[in-house]
Amino acid sequence: EINGTIPGTDTPLPISPCPADLVLDLEVLMRNHGRDGRLVAVREYSFLQNPRLPAELRTPITLPRPPSSLDEASLRPLRAQLAARPAAPLLFGEMPPDLYEKLPPSERQQTERTLLVWAAFWCCTKRQNPKVRGAVWYDIFWDQPGHVDRHGRVWNESWRVILGP
């Protein structure tokens, strides 16, 4: 039975906030995005509220929504605001259903290849087959019909638990 805990532990569920290493493969992220022994691509969930963060970085640039596309004309107003505060976080009042779709096709494919290996797996359950790992791999694109997961499986249906790969 898969219940999201390691057998023999007394972990209360849900785990909140969920540690990044339960969802993301931090070793892969460190290998691909680490610098000087630090992981630069991922931050703690609350880093913008950290009192050690300079005040100018805690105050976001607030916009009603992201640019409608990534062309120069759409990005010009955002770039003007960022020129004055280049390290400021952006806070959007609403997000479109799929901002990822706004990327050019080649960039979208490269981003998808990168993100596919970021996801980790959650263990453990009894192996029903000794050749199949007793773990479930997270799938970042679980809600994208027709996507191919990191194991080459095409998902044309709703996501479901599959042990393995």
Side-chain angles (χ1 to χ4, degrees), residues 32-56:
N32 296 328
H33 303 284
R35 252 185 267 150
D36 301 322
R38 295 180 311 138
L39 186 56
V40 296
V42 176
R43 299 286 183 263
E44 65 192 68
Y45 77 98
S46 61
F47 86 99
L48 290 174
Q49 287 81 41
N50 189 320
R52 294 177 299 178
L53 191 69
E56 63 270 14

PDB file of all heavy atoms in Angstrom, residues 32-56:
ATOM      1  N   ASN A  32      23.731  20.294 -11.912  1.00  0.00           N
ATOM      2  CA  ASN A  32      23.484  21.119 -13.096  1.00  0.00           C
ATOM      3  C   ASN A  32      23.425  22.617 -12.823  1.00  0.00           C
ATOM      4  O   ASN A  32      23.610  23.413 -13.735  1.00  0.00           O
ATOM      5  CB  ASN A  32      22.186  20.684 -13.779  1.00  0.00           C
ATOM      6  CG  ASN A  32      22.271  19.274 -14.307  1.00  0.00           C
ATOM      7  OD1 ASN A  32      23.330  18.813 -14.707  1.00  0.00           O
ATOM      8  ND2 ASN A  32      21.157  18.572 -14.291  1.00  0.00           N
ATOM      9  N   HIS A  33      23.120  23.008 -11.584  1.00  0.00           N
ATOM     10  CA  HIS A  33      22.900  24.428 -11.290  1.00  0.00           C
ATOM     11  C   HIS A  33      23.624  24.908 -10.039  1.00  0.00           C
ATOM     12  O   HIS A  33      23.358  26.006  -9.574  1.00  0.00           O
ATOM     13  CB  HIS A  33      21.400  24.724 -11.141  1.00  0.00           C
ATOM     14  CG  HIS A  33      20.605  24.341 -12.333  1.00  0.00           C
ATOM     15  ND1 HIS A  33      20.609  25.081 -13.486  1.00  0.00           N
ATOM     16  CD2 HIS A  33      19.818  23.269 -12.577  1.00  0.00           C
ATOM     17  CE1 HIS A  33      19.835  24.486 -14.375  1.00  0.00           C
ATOM     18  NE2 HIS A  33      19.346  23.384 -13.850  1.00  0.00           N
ATOM     19  N   GLY A  34      24.513  24.099  -9.503  1.00  0.00           N
ATOM     20  CA  GLY A  34      25.209  24.484  -8.289  1.00  0.00           C
ATOM     21  C   GLY A  34      26.432  25.338  -8.579  1.00  0.00           C
ATOM     22  O   GLY A  34      27.029  25.261  -9.653  1.00  0.00           O
ATOM     23  N   ARG A  35      26.779  26.176  -7.615  1.00  0.00           N
ATOM     24  CA  ARG A  35      27.976  27.012  -7.693  1.00  0.00           C
ATOM     25  C   ARG A  35      28.585  27.116  -6.310  1.00  0.00           C
ATOM     26  O   ARG A  35      27.878  27.425  -5.360  1.00  0.00           O
ATOM     27  CB  ARG A  35      27.608  28.415  -8.180  1.00  0.00           C
ATOM     28  CG  ARG A  35      28.080  28.677  -9.590  1.00  0.00           C
ATOM     29  CD  ARG A  35      27.814  30.101  -9.978  1.00  0.00           C
ATOM     30  NE  ARG A  35      26.515  30.117 -10.643  1.00  0.00           N
ATOM     31  CZ  ARG A  35      25.676  31.126 -10.630  1.00  0.00           C
ATOM     32  NH1 ARG A  35      25.963  32.217 -10.001  1.00  0.00           N
ATOM     33  NH2 ARG A  35      24.527  31.049 -11.248  1.00  0.00           N
ATOM     34  N   ASP A  36      29.857  26.849  -6.209  1.00  0.00           N
ATOM     35  CA  ASP A  36      30.573  26.982  -4.930  1.00  0.00           C
ATOM     36  C   ASP A  36      29.880  26.228  -3.800  1.00  0.00           C
ATOM     37  O   ASP A  36      29.772  26.724  -2.676  1.00  0.00           O
ATOM     38  CB  ASP A  36      30.715  28.469  -4.540  1.00  0.00           C
ATOM     39  CG  ASP A  36      31.463  29.261  -5.593  1.00  0.00           C
ATOM     40  OD1 ASP A  36      32.432  28.712  -6.174  1.00  0.00           O
ATOM     41  OD2 ASP A  36      31.081  30.424  -5.852  1.00  0.00           O
ATOM     42  N   GLY A  37      29.383  25.034  -4.111  1.00  0.00           N
ATOM     43  CA  GLY A  37      28.737  24.223  -3.078  1.00  0.00           C
ATOM     44  C   GLY A  37      27.361  24.681  -2.674  1.00  0.00           C
ATOM     45  O   GLY A  37      26.799  24.197  -1.707  1.00  0.00           O
ATOM     46  N   ARG A  38      26.782  25.646  -3.401  1.00  0.00           N
ATOM     47  CA  ARG A  38      25.437  26.144  -3.091  1.00  0.00           C
ATOM     48  C   ARG A  38      24.528  25.902  -4.280  1.00  0.00           C
ATOM     49  O   ARG A  38      24.945  26.010  -5.418  1.00  0.00           O
ATOM     50  CB  ARG A  38      25.468  27.640  -2.779  1.00  0.00           C
ATOM     51  CG  ARG A  38      26.246  27.974  -1.527  1.00  0.00           C
ATOM     52  CD  ARG A  38      26.270  29.458  -1.240  1.00  0.00           C
ATOM     53  NE  ARG A  38      26.649  30.205  -2.425  1.00  0.00           N
ATOM     54  CZ  ARG A  38      26.078  31.336  -2.817  1.00  0.00           C
ATOM     55  NH1 ARG A  38      25.129  31.865  -2.117  1.00  0.00           N
ATOM     56  NH2 ARG A  38      26.490  31.957  -3.899  1.00  0.00           N
ATOM     57  N   LEU A  39      23.288  25.604  -3.993  1.00  0.00           N
ATOM     58  CA  LEU A  39      22.290  25.409  -5.039  1.00  0.00           C
ATOM     59  C   LEU A  39      21.671  26.758  -5.365  1.00  0.00           C
ATOM     60  O   LEU A  39      20.974  27.343  -4.546  1.00  0.00           O
ATOM     61  CB  LEU A  39      21.221  24.429  -4.560  1.00  0.00           C
ATOM     62  CG  LEU A  39      20.188  23.997  -5.565  1.00  0.00           C
ATOM     63  CD1 LEU A  39      20.833  23.385  -6.800  1.00  0.00           C
ATOM     64  CD2 LEU A  39      19.250  22.989  -4.929  1.00  0.00           C
ATOM     65  N   VAL A  40      21.945  27.283  -6.560  1.00  0.00           N
ATOM     66  CA  VAL A  40      21.508  28.635  -6.888  1.00  0.00           C
ATOM     67  C   VAL A  40      20.162  28.675  -7.616  1.00  0.00           C
ATOM     68  O   VAL A  40      19.586  29.734  -7.759  1.00  0.00           O
ATOM     69  CB  VAL A  40      22.580  29.388  -7.714  1.00  0.00           C
ATOM     70  CG1 VAL A  40      23.837  29.578  -6.883  1.00  0.00           C
ATOM     71  CG2 VAL A  40      22.894  28.667  -9.004  1.00  0.00           C
ATOM     72  N   ALA A  41      19.649  27.540  -8.073  1.00  0.00           N
ATOM     73  CA  ALA A  41      18.401  27.534  -8.828  1.00  0.00           C
ATOM     74  C   ALA A  41      17.171  27.386  -7.934  1.00  0.00           C
ATOM     75  O   ALA A  41      16.059  27.553  -8.400  1.00  0.00           O
ATOM     76  CB  ALA A  41      18.414  26.403  -9.858  1.00  0.00           C
ATOM     77  N   VAL A  42      17.345  27.060  -6.673  1.00  0.00           N
ATOM     78  CA  VAL A  42      16.219  26.808  -5.784  1.00  0.00           C
ATOM     79  C   VAL A  42      16.403  27.611  -4.498  1.00  0.00           C
ATOM     80  O   VAL A  42      17.513  27.719  -3.985  1.00  0.00           O
ATOM     81  CB  VAL A  42      16.136  25.296  -5.429  1.00  0.00           C
ATOM     82  CG1 VAL A  42      15.039  25.023  -4.421  1.00  0.00           C
ATOM     83  CG2 VAL A  42      15.914  24.480  -6.685  1.00  0.00           C
ATOM     84  N   ARG A  43      15.330  28.172  -4.016  1.00  0.00           N
ATOM     85  CA  ARG A  43      15.351  28.917  -2.763  1.00  0.00           C
ATOM     86  C   ARG A  43      14.322  28.316  -1.810  1.00  0.00           C
ATOM     87  O   ARG A  43      13.356  27.695  -2.240  1.00  0.00           O
ATOM     88  CB  ARG A  43      14.981  30.395  -2.993  1.00  0.00           C
ATOM     89  CG  ARG A  43      15.923  31.122  -3.910  1.00  0.00           C
ATOM     90  CD  ARG A  43      17.238  31.404  -3.190  1.00  0.00           C
ATOM     91  NE  ARG A  43      18.141  32.165  -4.011  1.00  0.00           N
ATOM     92  CZ  ARG A  43      19.122  31.638  -4.748  1.00  0.00           C
ATOM     93  NH1 ARG A  43      19.303  30.356  -4.771  1.00  0.00           N
ATOM     94  NH2 ARG A  43      19.916  32.404  -5.456  1.00  0.00           N
ATOM     95  N   GLU A  44      14.502  28.552  -0.511  1.00  0.00           N
ATOM     96  CA  GLU A  44      13.511  28.119   0.457  1.00  0.00           C
ATOM     97  C   GLU A  44      12.179  28.789   0.121  1.00  0.00           C
ATOM     98  O   GLU A  44      12.155  29.894  -0.425  1.00  0.00           O
ATOM     99  CB  GLU A  44      13.961  28.469   1.873  1.00  0.00           C
ATOM    100  CG  GLU A  44      14.052  29.964   2.100  1.00  0.00           C
ATOM    101  CD  GLU A  44      14.761  30.353   3.377  1.00  0.00           C
ATOM    102  OE1 GLU A  44      15.972  30.142   3.468  1.00  0.00           O
ATOM    103  OE2 GLU A  44      14.076  30.879   4.263  1.00  0.00           O
ATOM    104  N   TYR A  45      11.093  28.136   0.451  1.00  0.00           N
ATOM    105  CA  TYR A  45       9.774  28.647   0.073  1.00  0.00           C
ATOM    106  C   TYR A  45       9.502  30.030   0.646  1.00  0.00           C
ATOM    107  O   TYR A  45       8.734  30.808   0.101  1.00  0.00           O
ATOM    108  CB  TYR A  45       8.665  27.668   0.485  1.00  0.00           C
ATOM    109  CG  TYR A  45       8.346  27.700   1.960  1.00  0.00           C
ATOM    110  CD1 TYR A  45       7.268  28.430   2.431  1.00  0.00           C
ATOM    111  CD2 TYR A  45       9.142  27.024   2.877  1.00  0.00           C
ATOM    112  CE1 TYR A  45       6.983  28.475   3.781  1.00  0.00           C
ATOM    113  CE2 TYR A  45       8.858  27.074   4.225  1.00  0.00           C
ATOM    114  CZ  TYR A  45       7.779  27.785   4.668  1.00  0.00           C
ATOM    115  OH  TYR A  45       7.503  27.829   5.997  1.00  0.00           O
ATOM    116  N   SER A  46      10.128  30.376   1.749  1.00  0.00           N
ATOM    117  CA  SER A  46       9.841  31.645   2.422  1.00  0.00           C
ATOM    118  C   SER A  46      10.992  32.646   2.300  1.00  0.00           C
ATOM    119  O   SER A  46      11.050  33.590   3.074  1.00  0.00           O
ATOM    120  CB  SER A  46       9.550  31.379   3.895  1.00  0.00           C
ATOM    121  OG  SER A  46      10.683  30.783   4.499  1.00  0.00           O
ATOM    122  N   PHE A  47      11.870  32.472   1.323  1.00  0.00           N
ATOM    123  CA  PHE A  47      13.064  33.320   1.305  1.00  0.00           C
ATOM    124  C   PHE A  47      12.746  34.801   1.156  1.00  0.00           C
ATOM    125  O   PHE A  47      13.494  35.645   1.641  1.00  0.00           O
ATOM    126  CB  PHE A  47      14.073  32.850   0.242  1.00  0.00           C
ATOM    127  CG  PHE A  47      13.862  33.392  -1.136  1.00  0.00           C
ATOM    128  CD1 PHE A  47      14.610  34.470  -1.588  1.00  0.00           C
ATOM    129  CD2 PHE A  47      12.938  32.829  -1.994  1.00  0.00           C
ATOM    130  CE1 PHE A  47      14.430  34.974  -2.858  1.00  0.00           C
ATOM    131  CE2 PHE A  47      12.756  33.323  -3.269  1.00  0.00           C
ATOM    132  CZ  PHE A  47      13.509  34.399  -3.699  1.00  0.00           C
ATOM    133  N   LEU A  48      11.627  35.170   0.553  1.00  0.00           N
ATOM    134  CA  LEU A  48      11.292  36.587   0.418  1.00  0.00           C
ATOM    135  C   LEU A  48      10.847  37.210   1.741  1.00  0.00           C
ATOM    136  O   LEU A  48      10.811  38.426   1.878  1.00  0.00           O
ATOM    137  CB  LEU A  48      10.213  36.799  -0.646  1.00  0.00           C
ATOM    138  CG  LEU A  48      10.670  36.544  -2.081  1.00  0.00           C
ATOM    139  CD1 LEU A  48       9.489  36.629  -3.043  1.00  0.00           C
ATOM    140  CD2 LEU A  48      11.766  37.507  -2.491  1.00  0.00           C
ATOM    141  N   GLN A  49      10.531  36.378   2.743  1.00  0.00           N
ATOM    142  CA  GLN A  49      10.172  36.896   4.062  1.00  0.00           C
ATOM    143  C   GLN A  49      11.355  36.819   5.035  1.00  0.00           C
ATOM    144  O   GLN A  49      11.237  37.223   6.184  1.00  0.00           O
ATOM    145  CB  GLN A  49       8.999  36.102   4.655  1.00  0.00           C
ATOM    146  CG  GLN A  49       7.671  36.393   4.001  1.00  0.00           C
ATOM    147  CD  GLN A  49       7.492  35.625   2.706  1.00  0.00           C
ATOM    148  OE1 GLN A  49       7.842  34.474   2.610  1.00  0.00           O
ATOM    149  NE2 GLN A  49       6.954  36.282   1.696  1.00  0.00           N
ATOM    150  N   ASN A  50      12.485  36.325   4.589  1.00  0.00           N
ATOM    151  CA  ASN A  50      13.647  36.176   5.457  1.00  0.00           C
ATOM    152  C   ASN A  50      14.153  37.565   5.865  1.00  0.00           C
ATOM    153  O   ASN A  50      14.432  38.400   5.012  1.00  0.00           O
ATOM    154  CB  ASN A  50      14.746  35.407   4.713  1.00  0.00           C
ATOM    155  CG  ASN A  50      15.893  35.027   5.605  1.00  0.00           C
ATOM    156  OD1 ASN A  50      16.323  35.795   6.463  1.00  0.00           O
ATOM    157  ND2 ASN A  50      16.408  33.829   5.395  1.00  0.00           N
ATOM    158  N   PRO A  51      14.282  37.834   7.172  1.00  0.00           N
ATOM    159  CA  PRO A  51      14.717  39.174   7.609  1.00  0.00           C
ATOM    160  C   PRO A  51      16.136  39.522   7.160  1.00  0.00           C
ATOM    161  O   PRO A  51      16.499  40.695   7.127  1.00  0.00           O
ATOM    162  CB  PRO A  51      14.622  39.118   9.131  1.00  0.00           C
ATOM    163  CG  PRO A  51      14.492  37.688   9.490  1.00  0.00           C
ATOM    164  CD  PRO A  51      13.981  36.952   8.287  1.00  0.00           C
ATOM    165  N   ARG A  52      16.953  38.537   6.807  1.00  0.00           N
ATOM    166  CA  ARG A  52      18.313  38.817   6.333  1.00  0.00           C
ATOM    167  C   ARG A  52      18.328  39.306   4.887  1.00  0.00           C
ATOM    168  O   ARG A  52      19.322  39.825   4.411  1.00  0.00           O
ATOM    169  CB  ARG A  52      19.184  37.564   6.449  1.00  0.00           C
ATOM    170  CG  ARG A  52      19.405  37.153   7.906  1.00  0.00           C
ATOM    171  CD  ARG A  52      20.186  35.890   7.985  1.00  0.00           C
ATOM    172  NE  ARG A  52      19.426  34.840   7.321  1.00  0.00           N
ATOM    173  CZ  ARG A  52      19.826  33.597   7.170  1.00  0.00           C
ATOM    174  NH1 ARG A  52      20.987  33.216   7.601  1.00  0.00           N
ATOM    175  NH2 ARG A  52      19.064  32.717   6.572  1.00  0.00           N
ATOM    176  N   LEU A  53      17.212  39.148   4.187  1.00  0.00           N
ATOM    177  CA  LEU A  53      17.122  39.598   2.798  1.00  0.00           C
ATOM    178  C   LEU A  53      17.013  41.121   2.778  1.00  0.00           C
ATOM    179  O   LEU A  53      16.211  41.700   3.518  1.00  0.00           O
ATOM    180  CB  LEU A  53      15.886  38.982   2.141  1.00  0.00           C
ATOM    181  CG  LEU A  53      15.759  39.127   0.638  1.00  0.00           C
ATOM    182  CD1 LEU A  53      16.812  38.278  -0.070  1.00  0.00           C
ATOM    183  CD2 LEU A  53      14.371  38.698   0.196  1.00  0.00           C
ATOM    184  N   PRO A  54      17.808  41.805   1.968  1.00  0.00           N
ATOM    185  CA  PRO A  54      17.708  43.273   1.908  1.00  0.00           C
ATOM    186  C   PRO A  54      16.281  43.718   1.576  1.00  0.00           C
ATOM    187  O   PRO A  54      15.585  43.080   0.791  1.00  0.00           O
ATOM    188  CB  PRO A  54      18.677  43.651   0.775  1.00  0.00           C
ATOM    189  CG  PRO A  54      19.622  42.502   0.674  1.00  0.00           C
ATOM    190  CD  PRO A  54      18.840  41.287   1.070  1.00  0.00           C
ATOM    191  N   ALA A  55      15.865  44.822   2.177  1.00  0.00           N
ATOM    192  CA  ALA A  55      14.496  45.322   2.023  1.00  0.00           C
ATOM    193  C   ALA A  55      14.116  45.539   0.563  1.00  0.00           C
ATOM    194  O   ALA A  55      12.986  45.269   0.171  1.00  0.00           O
ATOM    195  CB  ALA A  55      14.317  46.609   2.814  1.00  0.00           C
ATOM    196  N   GLU A  56      15.068  46.019  -0.258  1.00  0.00           N
ATOM    197  CA  GLU A  56      14.733  46.262  -1.668  1.00  0.00           C
ATOM    198  C   GLU A  56      14.395  44.979  -2.411  1.00  0.00           C
ATOM    199  O   GLU A  56      13.716  45.010  -3.437  1.00  0.00           O
ATOM    200  CB  GLU A  56      15.849  47.037  -2.391  1.00  0.00           C
ATOM    201  CG  GLU A  56      17.174  46.315  -2.475  1.00  0.00           C
ATOM    202  CD  GLU A  56      18.104  46.592  -1.299  1.00  0.00           C
ATOM    203  OE1 GLU A  56      17.667  47.138  -0.272  1.00  0.00           O
ATOM    204  OE2 GLU A  56      19.289  46.253  -1.427  1.00  0.00           O
TER     205      GLU A  56
END
